[in-house]
Amino acid sequence: MNPLRAVLLASLLSFLAPATALAASATEMIPDAYAAPATRVVLGDGRSINLRCSGQGERVVLFEAGTNADSTTWYRVLPMLKDHARACAYDRAGYGFSDEGPMPRDLNADITDLHELIRTAKLPLPLVLVGHSLGSNIVRGYAQRFPSDVAGMVLVDPPEQGADSAMPEQWKRDDAISREKRNAFLAACAKAAEAEDFLTASAPGCLRPPPAWMGERVAASVKANKAKPGYWRTLRSELTENERVFSTQVSPEERYGEIPLLLLSAGQLDKGAPEEVRAVLKQVRELTHQRIMAASTRSERRLVSDASHDIQLDRPDAVASAVEEMLRLATPHPAKEQ
């Protein structure tokens, strides 16, 4: 989730709850398989990263989640691709069933982990990378650093970058207060986790109830994973780094060369925000998306008008369709394992 939008439009706890979506009440339940780790990929420093794959095919599509999210966010999309590719999603360090990683948890750390994960798991290259929200920043950074690894990209509602300076002064004051409250709240939850007392009344409000699509087994595993101190250290670091990432406009020098790119843009955003704030967000979002599109010589943007920021939950078919098209566009076929 974009921290700018979260601070502006949601409560403090929206950072800590599982993702919700416009169509959450109508979605199928997440499989109980998500209540346990899938494949533990051990990195060179001994840390384990949880990798979850399904389907088959010559191509591998690797999914990158947004802020405070893990592989569960893709549960509706992966089954739709089972006949087209091997679809894989993973938990970033400190989230889900993956071990905590070294601090800070910035884009460099995420890209470095992703590169080692791909090679340690021996995923055939080049891959199609799919990133939601913050995950789109990780995917973009990876494509710039390791372009030969990437056959194509699907970016799911990249957040606006560089809106802070254009916001009304009152918003800036309210935002500063909200960040202080958020950090105090995170510190309290981390303290409860470190005391191994997180699952009791000493940590009130650190988790909201699970979404409608999450059954008891998966909800219990999510709660247990978020009772770990490393989760709170990771979240605090990621949110702090996000303030820097999203306060800066996309560089006009950003380039992905001929790597094909499809960008999905959500249509249901910023509801309830004052008109002057909505105007800033709309303008900056347009600039952000245009600069991302300009970085590839083969890019296209599509509006998903009936979806919130969590397009993968509201309209998984739109994401799956974009991935299927990218599989046709992306060349050459995988030729090696690393």
Side-chain angles (χ1 to χ4, degrees):
M1 177 183 291
N2 181 350
L4 174 64
R5 191 176 298 134
V7 170
L8 179 65
L9 302 176
S11 71
L12 211 57
L13 296 182
S14 67
F15 286 106
L16 314 176
T20 56
L22 295 177
S25 61
T27 66
E28 67 276 13
M29 298 296 288
I30 187 171
D32 280 349
Y34 281 83
T39 300
R40 291 278 199 174
V41 179
V42 182
L43 305 186
D45 60 3
R47 289 184 292 126
S48 291
I49 298 294
N50 182 48
L51 179 67
R52 194 179 302 276
C53 298
S54 63
Q56 56 186 346
E58 289 184 327
R59 286 285 186 198
V60 170
V61 183
L62 187 57
F63 291 79
E64 183 75 55
T67 295
N68 189 28
D70 53 38
S71 58
T72 58
T73 196
W74 301 108
Y75 86 99
R76 300 193 72 198
V77 179
L78 265 61
M80 295 182 175
L81 298 170
K82 63 183 178 64
D83 296 328
H84 302 278
R86 185 182 177 202
C88 300
Y90 77 104
D91 303 335
R92 281 199 303 279
Y95 291 142
F97 293 100
S98 291
D99 294 337
E100 181 182 8
M103 299 294 169
R105 298 315 301 172
D106 55 13
L107 290 179
N108 180 65
D110 293 332
I111 293 168
T112 299
D113 274 4
L114 177 56
H115 185 251
E116 188 173 358
L117 169 68
I118 289 170
R119 276 151 175 75
T120 303
K122 300 186 183 302
L123 299 180
L125 299 175
L127 310 96
V128 170
L129 294 179
V130 183
H132 170 240
S133 196
L134 172 67
S136 69
N137 294 76
I138 298 171
V139 165
R140 285 161 45 206
Y142 192 95
Q144 292 174 83
R145 193 181 302 182
F146 306 106
S148 63
D149 286 7
V150 184
M153 295 184 285
V154 176
L155 306 182
V156 182
D157 206 38
E160 59 274 354
Q161 292 186 221
D164 299 50
S165 61
M167 283 293 187
E169 290 303 316
Q170 184 60 51
W171 183 94
K172 294 178 183 178
R173 290 190 289 270
D174 292 343
D175 180 58
I177 295 172
S178 294
R179 291 177 193 236
E180 289 182 8
K181 291 180 178 179
R182 180 201 72 192
N183 290 337
F185 183 80
L186 293 173
C189 293
K191 184 177 180 180
E194 289 167 357
E196 298 184 351
D197 203 22
F198 184 83
L199 302 181
T200 71
S202 65
C206 289
L207 294 176
R208 291 201 314 198
W213 46 264
M214 187 174 289
E216 291 184 5
R217 288 187 60 191
V218 178
S221 71
V222 168
K223 189 173 183 179
N225 286 333
K226 292 186 176 183
K228 301 173 184 176
Y231 164 77
W232 297 97
R233 289 190 289 263
T234 298
L235 179 58
R236 174 70 180 271
S237 180
E238 186 170 84
L239 291 175
T240 299
E241 291 297 324
N242 283 359
E243 293 174 13
R244 178 185 59 80
V245 170
F246 292 116
S247 67
T248 306
Q249 290 184 353
V250 176
S251 170
E253 304 303 316
E254 189 165 318
R255 291 291 181 269
Y256 323 127
E258 296 182 353
I259 297 174
L261 181 154
L262 291 175
L263 188 154
L264 302 182
S265 179
Q268 302 294 319
L269 296 173
D270 311 327
K271 290 184 176 181
E275 183 55 39
E276 59 182 338
V277 171
R278 288 171 60 91
V280 171
L281 293 176
K282 182 179 180 180
Q283 180 180 18
V284 175
R285 187 180 302 116
E286 179 64 23
L287 175 61
T288 297
H289 289 185
Q290 287 295 340
R291 286 193 174 178
I292 291 173
M293 300 289 291
S296 168
T297 60
R298 302 167 62 192
S299 62
E300 182 179 345
R301 179 169 63 168
R302 295 175 183 169
L303 176 66
V304 186
S305 59
D306 55 347
S308 72
H309 181 55
D310 293 317
I311 299 175
Q312 73 281 7
L313 294 174
D314 292 328
R315 286 289 310 281
D317 58 309
V319 178
S321 177
V323 172
E324 289 175 30
E325 180 170 349
M326 183 55 63
L327 289 168
R328 293 189 292 270
L329 292 172
T331 55
H333 277 51
K336 60 180 178 176
E337 292 184 352
Q338 294 292 329

